[in-house]
Amino acid sequence: MRILSTVLASAAIAASFSASAQEDAIRKALAERIPQLQKIDEISATPMQGLYEVRVGTDLFYSDAKGNYLIQGELIDTQAHRNLTEDRINKLTAVDFNSLNLKDAIKTVKGNGSRKIAVFEDPNCGYCKRFEKDLQNVKDVTVYTFLYPILSPDSVEKSRNIWCAKDPAKEWASHMLKGTDAPAAPSSCDVTALQRNMEFGRKYKITGTPTIFFADGSRVPGAIGSDDLEKRLKAVK
């Protein structure tokens, strides 16, 4: 038994050194050939033999074992019907709800407000307006709306006017549900919250609106109906 244990331990060590050497080879080759990949955060084997994941921040690439070829795209598990790239990015960009700076959001309480969601939205977003209408059918939820002006040149101005209004929640609802515009914001209004929202979005790859975050850290990119939203809220423990 001792001999077997020694053999197994030696094999494990050898495999570890082999994997490390493999990663070093890929890292060296890519850094020399592609300047943008000089700072690679992680290299790991994928379920596909001979294919390695190359991670730079939250950007994912795939390489062969020697770094001779680089793929930028999605890895799909056809047997499990899963997008492995999407699963990985979702894990990398998961957000601890408690880490959100809720002071930078417009707070709306519906019913007893016992359930919580955070939504990144642009005032010019048609899907956001549809989501807001569906949201009217959902009860007992606190909604934190982070203004995220990324769609149109005047999205920043509209976001600024809403954020600086006397009652931002009222102005937001009026704009999204009725199409009315908030009064012009005074030049003295502090809108650094909008800048922080943009920085947060870039960090966590929020590329479209609405993007919804639930209390368990899960996220949904895009608008969902009230029934689907209700199911997801009930699933959050």
Side-chain angles (χ1 to χ4, degrees):
M1 289 298 292
R2 290 182 180 179
I3 295 176
L4 178 59
S5 297
T6 301
V7 171
L8 291 176
S10 299
I13 293 173
S16 176
F17 276 118
S18 176
S20 178
Q22 196 82 70
E23 293 171 15
D24 289 343
I26 296 172
R27 191 183 299 273
K28 183 176 183 296
L30 293 179
E32 290 176 349
R33 300 167 187 173
I34 305 177
Q36 297 90 332
L37 295 181
Q38 290 183 359
K39 294 184 179 180
I40 296 173
D41 294 305
E42 182 183 9
I43 296 176
S44 56
T46 71
M48 181 176 174
Q49 186 174 1
L51 189 68
Y52 293 80
E53 177 196 283
V54 178
R55 180 177 69 82
V56 180
T58 54
D59 292 326
L60 300 181
F61 305 90
Y62 298 98
S63 170
D64 67 315
K66 296 183 179 180
N68 290 332
Y69 298 94
L70 191 69
I71 301 171
Q72 184 174 15
E74 297 182 337
L75 182 61
I76 309 295
D77 184 334
T78 59
Q79 289 184 316
H81 300 285
R82 289 179 59 190
N83 185 326
L84 301 183
T85 304
E86 185 178 85
D87 289 349
R88 181 81 165 113
I89 290 176
N90 286 342
K91 184 176 181 179
L92 291 170
T93 58
V95 173
D96 180 357
F97 199 91
N98 294 325
S99 71
L100 289 168
N101 191 349
L102 300 181
K103 291 182 179 180
D104 289 343
I106 298 171
K107 182 179 179 180
T108 305
V109 180
K110 298 170 64 63
N112 62 27
S114 57
R115 304 177 297 178
K116 298 178 182 179
I117 60 171
V119 192
F120 283 72
E121 301 188 76
D122 185 300
N124 284 319
C125 169
Y127 290 106
C128 299
K129 293 176 181 179
R130 188 180 74 184
F131 173 73
E132 289 291 332
K133 289 180 180 178
D134 286 336
L135 191 57
Q136 303 307 301
N137 299 318
V138 181
K139 300 178 181 179
D140 299 332
V141 61
T142 298
V143 182
Y144 295 96
T145 303
F146 289 83
L147 296 174
Y148 194 58
I150 61 172
L151 297 181
S152 304
D154 69 339
S155 290
V156 175
E157 181 181 357
K158 288 181 178 178
S159 295
R160 176 190 176 94
N161 293 342
I162 292 170
W163 179 253
C164 297
K166 184 177 180 180
D167 188 342
K170 181 179 178 181
E171 291 296 343
W172 172 254
S174 181
H175 176 75
M176 300 302 280
L177 300 175
K178 300 178 182 179
T180 59
D181 291 328
S187 58
S188 59
C189 179
D190 182 5
V191 291
T192 53
L194 303 183
Q195 298 173 14
R196 289 191 291 271
N197 292 350
M198 296 296 290
E199 291 170 1
F200 182 93
R202 284 191 289 269
K203 179 179 179 180
Y204 288 96
K205 288 191 173 297
I206 301 176
T207 56
T209 55
T211 293
I212 309 162
F213 291 93
F214 294 86
D216 61 355
S218 61
R219 66 194 281 177
V220 173
I224 56 176
S226 55
D227 289 343
D228 194 8
L229 180 59
E230 188 65 44
K231 290 178 182 177
R232 290 177 179 272
L233 284 169
K234 288 181 178 178
V236 174
K237 297 180 180 179

